[in-house]
Amino acid sequence: GTGLVITRNRFGVSQRGAAQLYLTNALNHVRIANNYFLRSDPRAPGVHSPVGILIGAPASPHLPHHVEIINNTVLSGWQTSGHAAMSISVTPRYLGVKRWNRPLIANNVLARARDGYLLCTGLRRSIRDVTEHGAACSTSDSVGPLNLDNRGEPTSASQLLIDRADPDLAPPYDLTGRPRGPHPDIGCFEYVAR
């Protein structure tokens, strides 16, 4: 498959399986933008998704090339006996792939990135991503409090997110259809003063 676009979705929690969104095999030129990955759901108490987005598999004969993960809010990531709590997990097998074919992540809100080996080592680049718990992949990334409201949207206290996205990579509209303007916010939602 080529040219898949996954945009403006709300991914609920998953109890079984590897991730809320799992890309593997020869799935190339994929853009994942303006999506919201829930951490929990009152309709499924006690259920938490281990990983929001998982790219590549250890046993897969091919890895997806040219994957772009842009302006998503990924609040999932739950520690299991098999891995650390990760909002996005990228197989380290990408180390054997030319850098320009590896995934790009930019302008994302990540709740958890507890294992840099399962995220940073396989990336082409990480640009202006914000992680609440864990570590940054690049010098343009930040680690700190997200200060989101109960809907996952930024508040006036979300200083690491507001007007901080890379405008060259941000989509023109957010998940709700609000225009981003010349100084877009990090994540799938633009801040709106209430």
Side-chain angles (χ1 to χ4, degrees):
T2 288
L4 179 64
V5 176
I6 301 167
T7 187
R8 297 179 68 189
N9 295 287
R10 293 175 191 263
F11 287 86
V13 295
S14 61
Q15 189 166 4
R16 300 184 193 273
Q20 289 161 294
L21 179 60
Y22 190 6
L23 298 179
T24 189
N25 288 321
L27 190 61
N28 300 321
H29 300 281
V30 177
R31 184 172 175 86
I32 303 165
N34 279 336
N35 297 289
Y36 179 46
F37 295 79
L38 293 172
R39 174 179 296 156
S40 60
D41 188 334
R43 297 172 293 184
V47 176
H48 304 281
S49 298
V51 177
I53 303 170
L54 194 147
I55 311 291
S60 169
H62 302 284
L63 293 174
H65 287 186
H66 305 285
V67 175
E68 295 182 345
I69 303 171
I70 311 290
N71 279 92
N72 297 281
T73 298
V74 189
L75 302 182
S76 45
W78 196 257
Q79 184 168 342
T80 68
S81 60
H83 64 79
M86 300 292 295
S87 293
I88 298 175
S89 182
V90 176
T91 181
R93 287 183 54 217
Y94 275 105
L95 289 172
V97 173
K98 292 179 180 174
R99 185 170 290 279
W100 60 82
N101 289 328
R102 298 179 190 176
L104 165 72
I105 65 171
N107 301 338
N108 296 289
V109 170
L110 307 177
R112 292 165 179 80
R114 296 283 193 191
D115 185 342
Y117 186 68
L118 290 177
L119 177 60
C120 308
T121 57
L123 295 177
R124 176 180 0 147
R125 286 186 69 197
S126 176
I127 303 168
R128 298 190 190 179
D129 296 297
V130 177
T131 301
E132 187 167 43
H133 302 287
C137 289
S138 75
T139 56
S140 71
D141 295 344
S142 300
V143 176
L146 303 175
N147 297 312
L148 303 175
D149 67 15
N150 61 357
R151 296 179 308 270
E153 296 189 27
T155 65
S156 61
S158 301
Q159 295 307 304
L160 293 176
L161 310 179
I162 298 171
D163 295 341
R164 301 240 178 167
D166 184 318
D168 294 330
L169 296 171
Y173 299 94
D174 77 355
L175 183 145
T176 66
R178 292 183 210 123
R180 288 199 180 266
H183 305 288
D185 298 343
I186 292 173
C188 67
F189 298 110
E190 281 293 301
Y191 169 66
V192 175
R194 294 189 187 338

